[in-house]
Amino acid sequence: MNSQALAPGLYVRGLTPPLRLADFRLVAFDMDSTLINIECVDEIAEAAGRKAEVAAITEAAMRGEITDFKDSLRRRVALLAGVPVTAMEEVYARHLQLNPGVEAFVQACQAAGLKTLLVSGGFTFFSDRVRQRLGLDFARANVLEIEDGRLTGRLVDRPWGDIVDGAEKRRVVLEVCELMGVEPAQAIAVGDGANDLPMMQVAGLSVAFHAKPAVREQAMVSIESGGMDRLLQLLT
């Protein structure tokens, strides 16, 4: 990566800091391993005794080694069949935490007048709670099908499509920009996995947060140690 170390664990590429946070109008976040500390699908799989199997697929997908994200997600969700909703509630209560610096950075964006978007290949069971917790403006994620208090191993089709993959993340960012009447260049996109690259590529500022190598190599900013609030060292 042709990048400059602004500080230990903070790299920039093709940028001359500082930038004005108020010059941006939208910030879009991935959820799993970006806003929060876990991959929710992996933690749910533990209740089914399939965590190692599911986590291996997740890791390969996030590294870009599995290019069909939709297929990889369907495979993982199918392995969750029979898991009770109470297991997801336990994941949220016992395992899910906001990543360091997330609250501070989100609050700084809100104070500067940016709209906030969570766009996730994960699940609304968690994204709805994270959205409420952080006071985010918009969210899109996948819906797990539940019958009789247990997961069926399927996803629920939505009016916009079936699965939030990289292409859908990109489309949502562009759609929200259009609805707001702003240019994609006025958007910030923050993610960690290969399925975040499409939205990062259309944003004016792309940020890799403790990301996979392929994502670090393409992002304008890479935070490799410390919290998300380290972005405020670049954005005044």
Side-chain angles (χ1 to χ4, degrees):
M1 180 172 65
N2 182 20
S3 61
Q4 171 191 356
L6 191 68
L10 180 64
Y11 299 89
V12 298
R13 182 164 64 95
L15 294 174
T16 305
L19 307 173
R20 277 172 38 89
L21 186 56
D23 287 339
F24 295 93
R25 300 291 304 282
L26 174 70
V27 56
F29 299 99
D30 170 53
M31 182 177 70
D32 293 53
S33 298
T34 299
L35 287 178
I36 63 175
N37 63 320
I38 60 173
E39 293 285 339
C40 294
V41 66
D42 297 354
E43 299 304 319
I44 300 169
E46 185 165 28
R50 311 295 290 268
K51 183 173 182 178
E53 186 177 356
V54 169
I57 300 172
T58 300
E59 177 69 12
M62 293 303 98
R63 292 178 69 88
E65 295 162 5
I66 296 175
T67 56
D68 189 337
F69 178 84
K70 289 187 177 185
D71 177 66
S72 79
L73 186 61
R74 289 191 186 101
R75 285 164 55 197
R76 285 175 283 166
V77 169
L79 295 172
L80 306 181
V83 171
V85 171
T86 53
M88 295 199 293
E89 292 168 350
E90 186 170 330
V91 168
Y92 181 79
R94 295 193 178 185
H95 301 289
L96 187 151
Q97 298 176 13
L98 297 176
N99 271 326
V102 163
E103 285 184 287
F105 181 65
V106 168
Q107 288 168 4
C109 290
Q110 292 167 335
L114 280 73
K115 295 294 185 183
T116 50
L117 166 67
L118 183 164
V119 57
S120 172
F123 310 119
T124 54
F125 183 91
F126 301 100
S127 64
D128 288 349
R129 289 162 171 79
V130 172
R131 176 186 181 181
Q132 184 175 22
R133 190 164 165 181
L134 288 169
L136 305 178
D137 295 295
F138 311 107
R140 174 154 295 175
N142 304 305
V143 182
L144 290 165
E145 186 178 66
I146 298 170
E147 291 180 357
D148 299 322
R150 293 182 178 273
L151 299 182
T152 66
R154 297 184 295 271
L155 294 161
V156 178
D157 287 347
R158 306 298 297 151
W160 45 263
D162 55 351
I163 289 175
V164 179
D165 61 355
E168 178 66 9
K169 288 190 176 197
R170 177 184 182 275
R171 195 193 69 77
V172 170
V173 169
L174 293 175
E175 180 182 30
V176 173
C177 284
E178 183 173 11
L179 291 171
M180 291 176 59
V182 304
E183 294 297 321
Q186 294 172 281
I188 302 170
V190 187
D192 75 299
N195 63 324
D196 297 315
L197 286 171
M199 73 171 180
M200 293 169 71
Q201 289 162 354
V202 298
L205 179 62
S206 57
V207 180
F209 183 67
H210 295 264
K212 305 303 181 188
V215 182
R216 294 198 304 264
E217 290 166 6
Q218 296 186 50
M220 297 174 187
V221 179
S222 181
I223 300 173
E224 298 176 18
S225 65
M228 193 178 290
D229 54 344
R230 296 197 71 188
L231 272 172
L232 300 176
Q233 296 178 39
L234 308 176
L235 297 158
T236 61

